[in-house]
Each structure stands twice: as C-alpha cells, then as structure tokens.
Amino acid sequence: MSIDAANLIKAAVPEAEGRNVRIISQNVSDHRDPNFLSKDFPRQPPKLYLTAESDEFDAITIAEWQAEGFDVEYLPMGNGGDEYLQKLRGLRGNEMGSFETFGIVAYGDAAAMCLEHYHVMDNNPDFKLKLLIAYYPTAIPDPKGHFPSNISALVHLIAGEDVGVTKQSQMIGIQGKRRTTHKTIQPGIGTGGLLRLAYPGYTYQAQPGFAEHDLDEYDTICADLAWSRSLAAARKAFGQTVDLEQIWEENLQGKFFTHSLNPTMASYTTHRSPHVTYIPTLTGGIGADELQEFYSQYFGNPKSLKLTLLSRTIGADRIVDEIHVRFKHTQEMPWILPGVPATQKRVQVLVVSIVTMRGGKLYHEHVYWDQASVLFQIGALDPDVIPEAARKIGIKKLPIVGSAAASRVLKGWDPEQEGEADNDLISGWHDGEGKSEEG
C-alpha cells in the first residue's frame, strides 16, 4: 500500500503547502515503525518471504504462516551466489510503498546467505526488512558482534552441528576484512536451548530440516517449539496483536457451562486435525469427529462442578491455565475418573491446561492434574496401604496428599503457615521444631 504523504497533508492542512513539515505519531516517532499509524488505519497483511534451496517448499509451513495473517511468498535460492543476492536486493524494490515492510524466514544455506547479507548495515538502507528468522543456517555472523538493530533477528541452530562463523568488521559505507572459522554449536542454557549470542538464538536436539513437514528429519516437538518462538518474533516485529483468549473462553463456556457443543466445536481449527488429551487418563479425542463424540457422550459433569481460574499465561500461539476444580462425585466422569461409579465423595484438585492455537483456533489441548490425589479423595487409594512390591523397596507410606494441596493454593499464602508447603512427607523435616537457633 503506497501513501502519498504530500497530498494527504495538502488536503488536510491547505495552509501548509510550501512549508517544511514533519509527520509525527501519537504512538511512535519513526514513520517506518509498523505501529506508526493508528491501529484503525487500513493495512495490508505483513509480507513474509520464505526461502530455501529447493524449487518448491513445505506447503504446510506456508499455509500455517498464511493462516496467521501473513502474505506469504516463496523465494527459491536457485544456484545461490550473486543471482540469489540480486533476488534479495530486489525485495526492497519500488513495488513496496513508503510505509510497507517485510520479513524473511530462511532455511539452511539460504539462511546462511541471508544472515551474511543483512548483517551488513548498508544492505538494508531503507529499513524495509523488519524480520529475519534463520532455521539451521550452515553459517552465522560473529556471535559476539552486532546485528543491525533495525532488524529483528532470530536463529534456530542444531546442537552438535558444525557451522561457519563469519567475522567481518564494518562501518557505514565501508566493509572490512572477512574471516570465516568453523565451530560446533554447543547446547544452550537449560532445557530451553537459549544461547548467549549478540542476536537471539536457540539450539535444538534435532537434525537440519526438523521444521519442514515434508522431510524425513521433521521433528514435531522441536518444530512446534521453534514455531512458537518464530511466531512471537514475527508478531512483535510487525506490531501485531491477536486475541487468543476470546476463542478459548468460548470453548470453555460450551464444555463446562452452557453445555452447547456448537461454540466448542467451532473453536477448533480446520486447518489441521485438532486433538485434546486429558493426560492422566489418556481420554479425549483426535480429529473433529472424535471430539464431537467425546464431548457429546463422555464429558458429563455433576452440577456441583466449580472452576476457579488461578492464573492464565498467554503467548503468541498458546494459553496456559491454572485452575482449581471442585466437585461432588455424584456421577461417572469419564474424563477424570473413567470406569469409576459415583462415590458421593467431594474432590478438589489443581488442573493445568495447555492450549495450542493455529490461525486463531484451537489446535490441541493437554490437560494435567494429580490423579493420585483424586483417587485418594474418593477412597480408591490409601497412602497407608502399601503394595508388597513397594514394601520390599522400603516404602512405608505412599507420598501423596488429598485435598490439602488444592485448597492451600486456592486460599493463597497464609502468613501463619508461611506458604503452601509443609514438608510433612519429608522424614525428619520437623525434627527439632521449636528449638532456638542456639539449641
């Protein structure tokens, strides 16, 4: 979308013609920033180029970016070299308006070339490239150097893989000597794989190609984790805000409160096969037909069921709820106590629900809780009754608790008890309580 700023000003303020004026915004000072214009200003979808070595690319990945509201175009690397660099230079051509920007998601050798090219500040002179995501590049810029601050960069690397590291000094208009060494990518910090680089980078225990659905190297866990990070980076770079909470609330209303399947089923994606798993019992459904059957025939709940939301965390493509659940077990509940007839016992338990979204709809949901606590509360599990196999290894009491865990978190921090934990199950913890420090 091209905007003729001069004519806009002339029409709005005729007396300004012939004078020097400056365009300002209530949001930000830089007119190149995607947030410069009002949120109500009509916009085109952000332009996103996917680029890799092959002539064709993974159709699922392209469709997923499109479902998230991006105008996606595939740019094959071809023979690489100067021919490919010319393609990259052409992306900032005159067909883009003054206010339009774009992003690049690159893979393999193409990712290496994009990183090397845009690491040089002069190669993005008009600041139209806002985002550069590199998947398993075969070479990376100096991890101790600086990447241009006007580009949001994100790099996904393979732990244990050898990559080229390019060091090149540069000043505005001047490029210094270029030196490339080879290093092995070490695993990142903790389980998250975060690396301490000059630009955001993460490592994955996978093979190059792990994010491409049409390759044998595709790894669901690593691909989904990288996708979440990539989508968050893209949303931030282009100033996008997406309301994931509303569609999730509609799903919950239909399941637990209105008992209407229409809003529940309408909240699931049709782009991919959705699934729901209640992890401790492995109940739920895969695909729209199974979910329809599960929620219509096997998700009955007693009228006493009450849900209390304790916390909600919302990311770029997922929602995590911490919920206090209480009910009187007056009927069979196949999702939490399948095959167990009504016991008339009262139960309260903490439930964690992790919902992943695709294109603004629910893709999958994993629900977790402490099943031992539930069985304890209905009288199906006694911590003092020890199986013979457990006795042989020295267990004298099963380390489980009942409703206390859920009730304490619901009530919050108690100054008299100094928190929820009491360590009653840890042998020796309370020995010597009440003694002075000197004693």
Side-chain angles (χ1 to χ4, degrees):
M1 177 175 61
S2 180
I3 298 176
D4 190 336
N7 284 333
L8 278 176
I9 295 170
K10 182 178 178 180
V13 191
E15 62 271 21
E17 186 174 6
R19 299 183 184 180
N20 292 326
V21 297
R22 186 158 127 204
I23 303 174
I24 61 174
S25 165
Q26 294 179 345
N27 303 318
V28 294
S29 59
D30 185 356
H31 73 273
R32 301 181 186 89
D33 192 294
N35 295 313
F36 175 77
L37 297 172
S38 163
K39 66 179 181 179
D40 299 321
F41 196 90
R43 304 166 184 262
Q44 289 183 335
K47 185 70 177 183
L48 199 63
Y49 291 96
L50 272 59
T51 180
E53 297 94 331
S54 58
D55 292 335
E56 296 181 354
F57 191 68
D58 174 26
I60 294 178
T61 298
I62 292 176
E64 285 185 337
W65 280 111
Q66 290 172 332
E68 298 296 341
F70 292 87
D71 177 11
V72 183
E73 183 177 333
Y74 180 61
L75 182 72
M77 182 179 173
N79 296 324
D82 291 338
E83 180 184 346
Y84 183 59
L85 292 179
Q86 282 299 112
K87 290 182 181 180
L88 295 179
R89 295 187 186 103
L91 297 181
R92 64 172 196 268
N94 295 328
E95 68 276 6
M96 283 193 171
S98 301
F99 291 88
E100 290 186 77
T101 57
F102 67 96
I104 295 176
V105 182
Y107 298 78
D109 290 336
M113 290 197 68
C114 286
L115 286 170
E116 180 179 352
H117 179 68
Y118 290 110
H119 183 237
V120 178
M121 292 180 287
D122 293 349
N123 290 334
N124 189 35
D126 47 13
F127 308 115
K128 288 189 175 181
L129 177 66
K130 298 291 292 185
L131 171 74
L132 177 55
I133 300 174
Y135 278 84
Y136 29 87
T138 50
I140 59 174
D142 182 3
K144 296 182 180 179
H146 294 284
F147 206 86
S149 59
N150 51 63
I151 300 174
S152 296
L154 175 62
V155 182
H156 302 296
L157 297 164
I158 306 297
E161 191 80 0
D162 287 337
V163 299
V165 176
T166 302
K167 295 184 179 182
Q168 183 175 14
S169 60
Q170 60 172 309
M171 298 175 63
I172 297 178
I174 302 174
Q175 295 183 33
K177 292 183 178 180
R178 180 174 177 274
R179 182 168 58 89
T180 300
T181 59
H182 285 269
K183 291 188 177 180
T184 300
I185 299 297
Q186 300 300 319
I189 300 171
T191 57
L194 176 66
L195 292 177
R196 297 187 185 277
L197 305 181
Y199 38 86
Y202 295 90
T203 63
Y204 303 84
Q205 299 291 339
Q207 299 295 320
F210 73 79
E212 299 170 59
H213 300 76
D214 56 347
L215 298 182
D216 292 338
E217 292 81 7
Y218 177 72
D219 184 301
T220 302
I221 294 176
C222 293
D224 283 354
L225 185 57
W227 167 261
S228 297
R229 290 164 171 166
S230 296
L231 183 60
R235 295 227 184 280
K236 183 177 180 181
F238 292 107
Q240 288 185 320
T241 56
V242 178
D243 185 6
L244 300 180
E245 192 169 13
Q246 181 176 349
I247 195 72
W248 172 228
E249 282 292 342
E250 291 173 359
N251 180 280
L252 290 175
Q253 280 289 116
K255 288 190 297 191
F256 289 104
F257 303 108
T258 65
H259 308 293
S260 172
L261 273 185
N262 289 334
T264 297
M265 296 308 301
S267 66
Y268 290 107
T269 181
T270 56
H271 173 57
R272 300 178 70 176
S273 179
H275 67 266
V276 174
T277 308
Y278 293 87
I279 300 296
T281 55
L282 290 182
T283 54
I286 301 174
D289 291 342
E290 281 194 11
L291 289 175
Q292 174 85 24
E293 179 183 2
F294 176 75
Y295 284 119
S296 63
Q297 300 183 36
Y298 300 100
F299 199 70
N301 289 298
K303 293 181 179 180
S304 60
L305 180 75
K306 183 177 181 180
L307 308 181
T308 302
L309 182 65
L310 302 179
S311 68
R312 172 168 289 172
T313 304
I314 304 177
D317 68 337
R318 64 195 61 219
I319 296 177
V320 179
D321 278 355
E322 180 187 15
I323 307 170
H324 180 277
V325 178
R326 71 175 75 176
F327 58 88
K328 185 176 181 181
H329 188 216
T330 55
Q331 65 180 71
E332 185 176 349
M333 301 170 66
W335 68 275
I336 190 170
L337 287 167
V340 180
T343 62
Q344 307 302 319
K345 300 288 187 179
R346 295 190 179 276
V347 176
Q348 56 177 319
V349 65
L350 297 175
V351 172
V352 175
S353 171
I354 303 174
V355 180
T356 299
M357 305 284 203
R358 287 290 187 273
K361 294 292 187 76
L362 275 68
Y363 171 39
H364 63 70
E365 180 186 2
H366 291 166
V367 186
Y368 303 83
W369 66 86
D370 180 3
Q371 185 70 345
S373 175
V374 174
L375 295 175
F376 180 12
Q377 292 177 66
I378 67 169
L381 188 62
D382 186 342
D384 293 318
V385 178
I386 311 299
E388 184 61 27
R391 289 183 182 278
K392 289 182 179 179
I393 59 175
I395 295 178
K396 298 179 181 179
K397 183 181 179 71
L398 296 178
I400 58 176
V401 296
S403 62
S407 63
R408 289 190 190 177
V409 173
L410 180 64
K411 293 176 182 177
W413 180 73
D414 184 345
E416 296 182 359
Q417 296 189 8
E418 298 183 355
E420 294 93 3
D422 57 26
N423 291 331
D424 282 349
L425 295 179
I426 300 179
S427 177
W429 178 267
H430 297 289
D431 292 353
E433 274 191 343
K435 295 182 180 179
S436 65
E437 293 184 4
E438 291 79 10

Short mmCIF file of all heavy atoms in Angstrom, two decimals, residues 178-214:
data_model
loop_
_atom_site.label_atom_id
_atom_site.label_comp_id
_atom_site.label_asym_id
_atom_site.label_seq_id
_atom_site.Cartn_x
_atom_site.Cartn_y
_atom_site.Cartn_z
N ARG A 178 37.01 -10.03 5.84
CA ARG A 178 36.06 -11.09 6.18
C ARG A 178 36.84 -12.36 6.50
O ARG A 178 37.70 -12.78 5.73
CB ARG A 178 35.11 -11.32 5.01
CG ARG A 178 34.06 -12.39 5.20
CD ARG A 178 33.13 -12.38 4.00
NE ARG A 178 32.13 -13.42 4.05
CZ ARG A 178 32.30 -14.66 3.63
NH1 ARG A 178 33.48 -15.02 3.11
NH2 ARG A 178 31.34 -15.55 3.70
N ARG A 179 36.52 -12.97 7.65
CA ARG A 179 37.23 -14.18 8.06
C ARG A 179 36.21 -15.19 8.58
O ARG A 179 35.32 -14.85 9.36
CB ARG A 179 38.23 -13.85 9.16
CG ARG A 179 39.06 -15.04 9.64
CD ARG A 179 40.22 -14.56 10.49
NE ARG A 179 39.76 -13.80 11.64
CZ ARG A 179 39.45 -14.34 12.83
NH1 ARG A 179 39.56 -15.64 12.99
NH2 ARG A 179 39.07 -13.58 13.83
N THR A 180 36.31 -16.43 8.10
CA THR A 180 35.36 -17.47 8.49
C THR A 180 36.08 -18.62 9.18
O THR A 180 37.08 -19.13 8.68
CB THR A 180 34.59 -18.01 7.26
OG1 THR A 180 33.89 -16.95 6.64
CG2 THR A 180 33.60 -19.08 7.67
N THR A 181 35.57 -19.01 10.32
CA THR A 181 36.07 -20.18 11.04
C THR A 181 34.90 -21.15 11.23
O THR A 181 33.75 -20.81 10.98
CB THR A 181 36.63 -19.79 12.41
OG1 THR A 181 35.60 -19.15 13.17
CG2 THR A 181 37.81 -18.84 12.26
N HIS A 182 35.22 -22.38 11.67
CA HIS A 182 34.16 -23.37 11.89
C HIS A 182 34.11 -23.74 13.37
O HIS A 182 35.16 -23.97 14.00
CB HIS A 182 34.40 -24.61 11.04
CG HIS A 182 34.07 -24.38 9.59
ND1 HIS A 182 32.83 -24.65 9.06
CD2 HIS A 182 34.83 -23.90 8.56
CE1 HIS A 182 32.82 -24.35 7.77
NE2 HIS A 182 34.03 -23.90 7.44
N LYS A 183 32.90 -23.77 13.90
CA LYS A 183 32.71 -24.12 15.30
C LYS A 183 31.53 -25.06 15.45
O LYS A 183 30.63 -25.09 14.60
CB LYS A 183 32.47 -22.86 16.14
CG LYS A 183 33.71 -21.97 16.27
CD LYS A 183 33.48 -20.85 17.27
CE LYS A 183 34.74 -20.01 17.44
NZ LYS A 183 34.56 -18.92 18.41
N THR A 184 31.55 -25.83 16.52
CA THR A 184 30.45 -26.75 16.83
C THR A 184 29.48 -26.05 17.77
O THR A 184 29.88 -25.49 18.79
CB THR A 184 30.98 -28.03 17.49
OG1 THR A 184 31.89 -28.68 16.60
CG2 THR A 184 29.83 -28.98 17.82
N ILE A 185 28.20 -26.08 17.41
CA ILE A 185 27.18 -25.44 18.24
C ILE A 185 26.99 -26.25 19.52
O ILE A 185 26.69 -27.44 19.49
CB ILE A 185 25.84 -25.35 17.48
CG1 ILE A 185 26.02 -24.51 16.21
CG2 ILE A 185 24.77 -24.75 18.37
CD1 ILE A 185 26.41 -23.08 16.46
N GLN A 186 27.18 -25.59 20.64
CA GLN A 186 27.00 -26.23 21.94
C GLN A 186 25.55 -26.07 22.40
O GLN A 186 24.88 -25.11 22.05
CB GLN A 186 27.94 -25.61 22.97
CG GLN A 186 29.42 -25.73 22.62
CD GLN A 186 29.85 -27.19 22.49
OE1 GLN A 186 29.44 -28.04 23.29
NE2 GLN A 186 30.66 -27.46 21.47
N PRO A 187 25.05 -27.03 23.19
CA PRO A 187 23.68 -26.90 23.70
C PRO A 187 23.51 -25.61 24.48
O PRO A 187 24.44 -25.13 25.12
CB PRO A 187 23.52 -28.13 24.61
CG PRO A 187 24.53 -29.11 24.09
CD PRO A 187 25.68 -28.28 23.62
N GLY A 188 22.32 -25.03 24.43
CA GLY A 188 22.06 -23.77 25.09
C GLY A 188 21.80 -23.94 26.57
O GLY A 188 21.96 -25.02 27.15
N ILE A 189 21.40 -22.83 27.19
CA ILE A 189 21.18 -22.82 28.63
C ILE A 189 19.93 -23.62 28.98
O ILE A 189 18.86 -23.37 28.44
CB ILE A 189 21.02 -21.37 29.12
CG1 ILE A 189 22.28 -20.56 28.80
CG2 ILE A 189 20.74 -21.30 30.61
CD1 ILE A 189 22.13 -19.08 29.05
N GLY A 190 20.06 -24.55 29.91
CA GLY A 190 18.89 -25.30 30.38
C GLY A 190 18.19 -26.07 29.29
O GLY A 190 18.75 -26.35 28.23
N THR A 191 16.93 -26.40 29.54
CA THR A 191 16.16 -27.17 28.56
C THR A 191 15.64 -26.30 27.43
O THR A 191 15.21 -26.80 26.40
CB THR A 191 14.96 -27.86 29.24
OG1 THR A 191 14.15 -26.87 29.88
CG2 THR A 191 15.44 -28.86 30.27
N GLY A 192 15.66 -24.97 27.61
CA GLY A 192 15.13 -24.08 26.59
C GLY A 192 16.05 -23.89 25.42
O GLY A 192 15.62 -23.48 24.34
N GLY A 193 17.34 -24.18 25.58
CA GLY A 193 18.27 -24.08 24.48
C GLY A 193 18.70 -22.66 24.15
O GLY A 193 19.24 -22.41 23.06
N LEU A 194 18.48 -21.70 25.04
CA LEU A 194 18.87 -20.32 24.77
C LEU A 194 20.38 -20.18 24.70
O LEU A 194 21.11 -20.71 25.54
CB LEU A 194 18.32 -19.40 25.86
CG LEU A 194 18.72 -17.92 25.79
CD1 LEU A 194 18.12 -17.27 24.55
CD2 LEU A 194 18.27 -17.19 27.06
N LEU A 195 20.86 -19.47 23.69
CA LEU A 195 22.29 -19.21 23.53
C LEU A 195 22.60 -17.77 23.89
O LEU A 195 21.78 -16.87 23.70
CB LEU A 195 22.72 -19.48 22.09
CG LEU A 195 22.69 -20.93 21.62
CD1 LEU A 195 23.08 -20.99 20.15
CD2 LEU A 195 23.64 -21.79 22.45
N ARG A 196 23.81 -17.55 24.37
CA ARG A 196 24.25 -16.18 24.66
C ARG A 196 24.96 -15.63 23.43
O ARG A 196 26.18 -15.70 23.31
CB ARG A 196 25.19 -16.19 25.88
CG ARG A 196 24.54 -16.66 27.17
CD ARG A 196 25.48 -16.48 28.35
NE ARG A 196 24.94 -17.02 29.58
CZ ARG A 196 24.08 -16.38 30.38
NH1 ARG A 196 23.67 -15.18 30.05
NH2 ARG A 196 23.65 -16.94 31.49
N LEU A 197 24.16 -15.09 22.52
CA LEU A 197 24.70 -14.53 21.29
C LEU A 197 24.34 -13.05 21.21
O LEU A 197 23.51 -12.55 21.97
CB LEU A 197 24.13 -15.25 20.06
CG LEU A 197 24.29 -16.77 19.98
CD1 LEU A 197 23.68 -17.29 18.69
CD2 LEU A 197 25.74 -17.17 20.08
N ALA A 198 24.95 -12.36 20.25
CA ALA A 198 24.63 -10.96 20.03
C ALA A 198 23.23 -10.79 19.46
O ALA A 198 22.68 -9.70 19.47
CB ALA A 198 25.66 -10.33 19.10
N TYR A 199 22.66 -11.88 18.94
CA TYR A 199 21.30 -11.88 18.41
C TYR A 199 20.59 -13.09 19.00
O TYR A 199 21.24 -14.08 19.36
CB TYR A 199 21.31 -11.96 16.87
CG TYR A 199 22.38 -12.87 16.32
CD1 TYR A 199 22.16 -14.24 16.18
CD2 TYR A 199 23.63 -12.37 15.96
CE1 TYR A 199 23.14 -15.07 15.69
CE2 TYR A 199 24.62 -13.19 15.47
CZ TYR A 199 24.37 -14.55 15.34
OH TYR A 199 25.36 -15.38 14.86
N PRO A 200 19.26 -13.06 19.13
CA PRO A 200 18.55 -14.19 19.75
C PRO A 200 18.81 -15.50 19.02
O PRO A 200 18.68 -15.58 17.80
CB PRO A 200 17.08 -13.77 19.65
CG PRO A 200 17.11 -12.28 19.53
CD PRO A 200 18.36 -11.97 18.78
N GLY A 201 19.18 -16.52 19.77
CA GLY A 201 19.45 -17.82 19.18
C GLY A 201 19.09 -18.95 20.12
O GLY A 201 19.20 -18.81 21.34
N TYR A 202 18.63 -20.07 19.57
CA TYR A 202 18.25 -21.24 20.36
C TYR A 202 18.80 -22.49 19.70
O TYR A 202 18.98 -22.54 18.48
CB TYR A 202 16.72 -21.36 20.47
CG TYR A 202 16.07 -20.24 21.22
CD1 TYR A 202 15.65 -19.09 20.56
CD2 TYR A 202 15.87 -20.32 22.60
CE1 TYR A 202 15.06 -18.05 21.25
CE2 TYR A 202 15.27 -19.28 23.29
CZ TYR A 202 14.87 -18.15 22.61
OH TYR A 202 14.28 -17.11 23.30
N THR A 203 19.08 -23.51 20.51
CA THR A 203 19.54 -24.79 19.98
C THR A 203 18.47 -25.85 20.17
O THR A 203 17.64 -25.78 21.09
CB THR A 203 20.83 -25.25 20.69
OG1 THR A 203 20.56 -25.48 22.08
CG2 THR A 203 21.93 -24.22 20.54
N TYR A 204 18.52 -26.87 19.30
CA TYR A 204 17.56 -27.96 19.32
C TYR A 204 18.28 -29.29 19.14
O TYR A 204 19.22 -29.38 18.35
CB TYR A 204 16.52 -27.77 18.20
CG TYR A 204 15.78 -26.46 18.29
CD1 TYR A 204 16.34 -25.30 17.75
CD2 TYR A 204 14.55 -26.37 18.93
CE1 TYR A 204 15.69 -24.08 17.85
CE2 TYR A 204 13.89 -25.16 19.03
CZ TYR A 204 14.46 -24.02 18.48
OH TYR A 204 13.81 -22.81 18.58
N GLN A 205 17.84 -30.29 19.87
CA GLN A 205 18.40 -31.63 19.73
C GLN A 205 17.68 -32.31 18.57
O GLN A 205 16.76 -33.10 18.75
CB GLN A 205 18.23 -32.41 21.03
CG GLN A 205 18.94 -31.81 22.23
CD GLN A 205 20.45 -31.89 22.12
OE1 GLN A 205 20.99 -32.72 21.38
NE2 GLN A 205 21.16 -31.06 22.87
N ALA A 206 18.08 -31.98 17.37
CA ALA A 206 17.40 -32.49 16.17
C ALA A 206 18.38 -32.48 15.01
O ALA A 206 19.59 -32.29 15.19
CB ALA A 206 16.18 -31.62 15.87
N GLN A 207 17.85 -32.69 13.82
CA GLN A 207 18.65 -32.69 12.60
C GLN A 207 18.23 -31.51 11.72
O GLN A 207 17.09 -31.04 11.80
CB GLN A 207 18.46 -34.00 11.82
CG GLN A 207 18.87 -35.25 12.58
CD GLN A 207 20.36 -35.27 12.87
OE1 GLN A 207 21.17 -34.90 12.03
NE2 GLN A 207 20.71 -35.73 14.06
N PRO A 208 19.14 -31.00 10.88
CA PRO A 208 18.73 -29.97 9.94
C PRO A 208 17.54 -30.45 9.11
O PRO A 208 17.53 -31.57 8.61
CB PRO A 208 19.98 -29.79 9.06
CG PRO A 208 21.12 -30.21 9.93
CD PRO A 208 20.59 -31.32 10.77
N GLY A 209 16.54 -29.61 9.01
CA GLY A 209 15.30 -29.99 8.34
C GLY A 209 14.19 -30.30 9.31
O GLY A 209 13.07 -30.64 8.89
N PHE A 210 14.44 -30.16 10.64
CA PHE A 210 13.46 -30.58 11.64
C PHE A 210 12.16 -29.77 11.57
O PHE A 210 11.13 -30.22 12.07
CB PHE A 210 14.05 -30.48 13.05
CG PHE A 210 14.20 -29.07 13.58
CD1 PHE A 210 13.13 -28.37 14.09
CD2 PHE A 210 15.44 -28.46 13.60
CE1 PHE A 210 13.27 -27.08 14.60
CE2 PHE A 210 15.61 -27.18 14.09
CZ PHE A 210 14.52 -26.49 14.59
N ALA A 211 12.16 -28.59 10.95
CA ALA A 211 10.96 -27.76 10.91
C ALA A 211 10.17 -27.88 9.62
O ALA A 211 9.18 -27.17 9.44
CB ALA A 211 11.35 -26.30 11.14
N GLU A 212 10.57 -28.78 8.72
CA GLU A 212 9.91 -28.91 7.42
C GLU A 212 9.13 -30.23 7.37
O GLU A 212 9.72 -31.31 7.42
CB GLU A 212 10.94 -28.83 6.30
CG GLU A 212 11.68 -27.49 6.30
CD GLU A 212 12.88 -27.47 5.37
OE1 GLU A 212 12.70 -27.70 4.16
OE2 GLU A 212 14.01 -27.23 5.86
N HIS A 213 7.82 -30.12 7.27
CA HIS A 213 6.94 -31.28 7.39
C HIS A 213 7.17 -32.32 6.31
O HIS A 213 6.87 -33.50 6.51
CB HIS A 213 5.48 -30.83 7.34
CG HIS A 213 5.09 -29.88 8.42
ND1 HIS A 213 5.45 -28.53 8.40
CD2 HIS A 213 4.36 -30.06 9.55
CE1 HIS A 213 4.96 -27.94 9.47
NE2 HIS A 213 4.31 -28.84 10.19
N ASP A 214 7.68 -31.91 5.16
CA ASP A 214 7.82 -32.86 4.04
C ASP A 214 9.18 -33.56 4.03
O ASP A 214 9.50 -34.26 3.06
CB ASP A 214 7.60 -32.13 2.72
CG ASP A 214 8.52 -30.93 2.53
OD1 ASP A 214 9.16 -30.51 3.51
OD2 ASP A 214 8.59 -30.41 1.40
#
